[in-house]
Amino acid sequence: MTIAYDDQNIFAKILRGEIPSEPIAETEHSLAFRDIRPQAPVHVLVIPKGAYVTYADFARDASEAEIVDFTRLVGQLAEELDLVPSPGGGGHRLISNAGADAHQEVPHMHIHLLGGRALGGLLPAM
Ligand code: AMP
């Protein structure tokens, strides 16, 4: 069972222009803006403009045009923001939280693009 989309979530309000954000890129189907509580020197959120709660909802229900647009934007931003892995270091991490176990705070599908420092292990030990 999936969670119904709540159009009063913060990212829906950002998309409608009801609250401000710090946008860095916008395409036909996607928007990227700075996270308000950055966890790394670069911490960008990329969201589809459509009403999807989780990545799985997006993958199932979005059109191919939306999926291509979103996927390309994430990759382009990693390059444009200089988060490309090189022999000397660099790189980035992509995270998409879904639901309570993952501590998803905003129920509008998003990917965190993080980089600019060594990010450590993926998760604390069990
Ligand atoms: P998640 O736990 O994956 O749902 O992450 C939601 C993210 O949204 C958190 O990293 C928050 O800091 C971020 N966030 C919440 N409100 C805003 C806002 N108004 N503008 C930008 N980022 C936000």
Side-chain angles (χ1 to χ4, degrees):
M1 198 167 83
T2 57
I3 295 172
Y5 185 80
D6 172 7
D7 69 3
Q8 294 305 307
N9 77 74
I10 293 169
F11 296 169
K13 291 180 180 178
I14 286 176
L15 283 167
R16 292 194 296 266
E18 294 170 6
I19 62 172
S21 69
E22 199 182 328
I24 60 165
E26 181 168 9
T27 60
E28 183 179 0
H29 296 294
S30 312
L31 180 69
F33 52 93
R34 303 267 179 201
D35 195 292
I36 205 168
R37 294 190 302 269
Q39 306 287 310
V42 177
H43 188 170
V44 167
L45 300 169
V46 190
I47 67 173
K49 293 181 178 176
Y52 308 104
V53 179
T54 67
Y55 188 98
D57 293 339
F58 179 69
R60 184 193 332 103
D61 297 335
S63 68
E64 292 188 10
E66 290 174 283
I67 292 170
V68 169
D69 178 296
F70 182 86
T71 306
R72 290 246 160 85
L73 179 60
V74 172
Q76 282 167 11
L77 286 171
E79 293 184 342
E80 288 170 15
L81 295 168
D82 280 333
L83 303 178
V84 179
S86 70
H92 60 272
R93 179 172 292 158
L94 303 177
I95 298 174
S96 189
N97 294 316
D101 280 1
H103 276 238
Q104 183 179 10
E105 176 189 323
V106 180
H108 181 111
M109 191 288 227
H110 52 281
I111 282 192
H112 297 255
L113 170 59
L114 295 146
R117 69 171 173 85
L119 295 167
L122 182 58
L123 291 173
M126 284 179 67

